[in-house]
Amino acid sequence: MTTKMRPLVAGNWKMNGTRECLTQIKAIAEGVKGPLSEKIEALLCPPSTLLYVSTALADDSPLAIGAQDCHQDRCGPHTGDISADMIADCFGTYVIVGHSERRTHHGETDQLVRAKAAAAHEADLTAIICVGETAEERADGRTLDVLNKEICASVPEGARAGRTVIAYEPVWAIGSGHTPTAADIEAAHAFMRARLVELFGAEGQKMRILYGGSANPTNARDLIRIPEVNGLLVGGASLKAADFLAIYGAYEQLPA
Ligand code: PGA
């Protein structure tokens, strides 16, 4: 059964974007105004240097602004980190945690990701918790095992659907131009839905599960039609307003 919920199209700018790119953020904030925003939520996660100015730019727009990571503590001696409270203080409403680039390059474990998601919840932010298998794990037929382990260990106990989004991002699909087949994405999302329901009951039924990894204006229409795909997490193709808006606009053509 496909769960009905308000899909989310989220852009992750990663370590890209300077003040020069504020024109793109402004264009996205303008572009998502309109009737579609009642049905589909739009979110942009710029680098933290642009967070405060981005929320100001999106002030009169349905575009939500979020961050790409947060520390698990509220404050303290953590040079270079930002806390969930700081994101909320900049009027951000979302934070991505456990992106595979953080898991791989910064050695983040499931336990740490769970602590970060809990810190986000504490600050009243919605946590987008990323999970996904590597190419090697996929080749070994361990995709569902990995998803099971990451969901069980990275999502905080008592997580609520209103403040928790899961993003399925196969590591090998990120930035590669390759995506899994629709059947593979469907199987992964159905599996995650079943696990979320087992773990969180009715809340697990309502949690949005995004697909991420080489989503673009060309494949978006097909990706959003896959059962249990409740939105997209978009990296490279979110940097240009026109591309992000084309992906968002793909929902116009989706039969209700
Ligand atoms: P990509 O990145 O769309 O550039 O593949 C997705 C992500 O890492 O969130």
Side-chain angles (χ1 to χ4, degrees):
M1 183 189 77
T2 294
T3 319
K4 278 270 170 220
M5 52 192 78
R6 188 172 176 229
L8 171 67
V9 177
N12 171 14
W13 274 19
K14 311 191 179 186
M15 198 174 70
N16 298 293
T18 54
R19 283 181 296 138
E20 229 183 339
C21 307
L22 293 177
T23 50
Q24 298 299 311
I25 298 179
K26 211 173 161 44
I28 292 173
E30 285 301 315
V32 299
K33 287 180 182 173
L36 190 60
S37 67
E38 278 157 40
K39 287 193 297 179
I40 314 296
E41 194 175 359
L43 163 70
L44 194 66
C45 299
S48 52
T49 48
L50 298 182
L51 197 56
Y52 185 58
V53 68
S54 299
T55 57
L57 280 179
D59 195 34
D60 65 344
S61 161
L63 178 68
I65 300 291
Q68 301 170 14
D69 179 45
C70 68
H71 196 275
Q72 67 275 24
D73 290 348
R74 298 194 89 146
C75 60
H78 304 295
T79 303
D81 283 314
I82 61 170
S83 71
D85 285 340
M86 290 170 179
I87 296 164
D89 184 53
C90 290
F91 306 110
T93 51
Y94 278 83
V95 61
I96 298 169
V97 294
H99 189 283
S100 65
E101 287 153 14
R102 303 244 13 129
R103 290 179 187 260
T104 307
H105 304 152
H106 297 264
E108 295 194 2
T109 61
D110 288 323
Q111 289 66 34
L112 181 61
V113 173
R114 186 208 290 244
K116 288 181 174 208
H121 291 158
E122 195 71 21
D124 224 12
L125 300 179
T126 300
I128 300 180
I129 303 171
C130 301
V131 296
E133 82 286 358
T134 63
E136 198 188 348
E137 289 162 341
R138 182 180 191 79
D140 288 350
R142 289 195 285 130
T143 297
L144 300 186
D145 288 344
V146 171
L147 297 181
N148 184 42
K149 176 193 88 73
E150 291 189 336
I151 283 179
C152 288
S154 306
V155 184
E157 216 172 297
R160 320 266 318 182
R163 288 281 172 268
T164 311
V165 175
I166 308 296
Y168 171 49
E169 296 210 310
V171 179
W172 55 272
I174 295 174
S176 68
H178 301 294
T179 58
T181 62
D184 283 350
I185 296 175
E186 182 171 349
H189 280 238
F191 174 78
M192 291 187 288
R193 174 67 63 212
R195 286 304 288 134
L196 289 170
V197 170
E198 275 162 25
L199 291 163
F200 303 103
E203 293 297 316
Q205 188 68 52
K206 291 183 288 184
M207 268 175 210
R208 289 173 291 185
I209 308 176
L210 313 184
Y211 168 77
S214 296
N216 61 42
T218 309
N219 61 23
R221 251 176 313 149
D222 295 328
L223 291 171
I224 63 176
R225 284 181 157 76
I226 299 171
E228 298 289 5
V229 170
N230 313 122
L232 299 172
L233 179 55
V234 186
S238 69
L239 290 166
K240 285 205 190 102
D243 287 349
F244 180 88
L245 292 171
I247 293 169
Y248 181 74
Y251 274 99
E252 297 268 20
Q253 279 110 51
L254 196 68

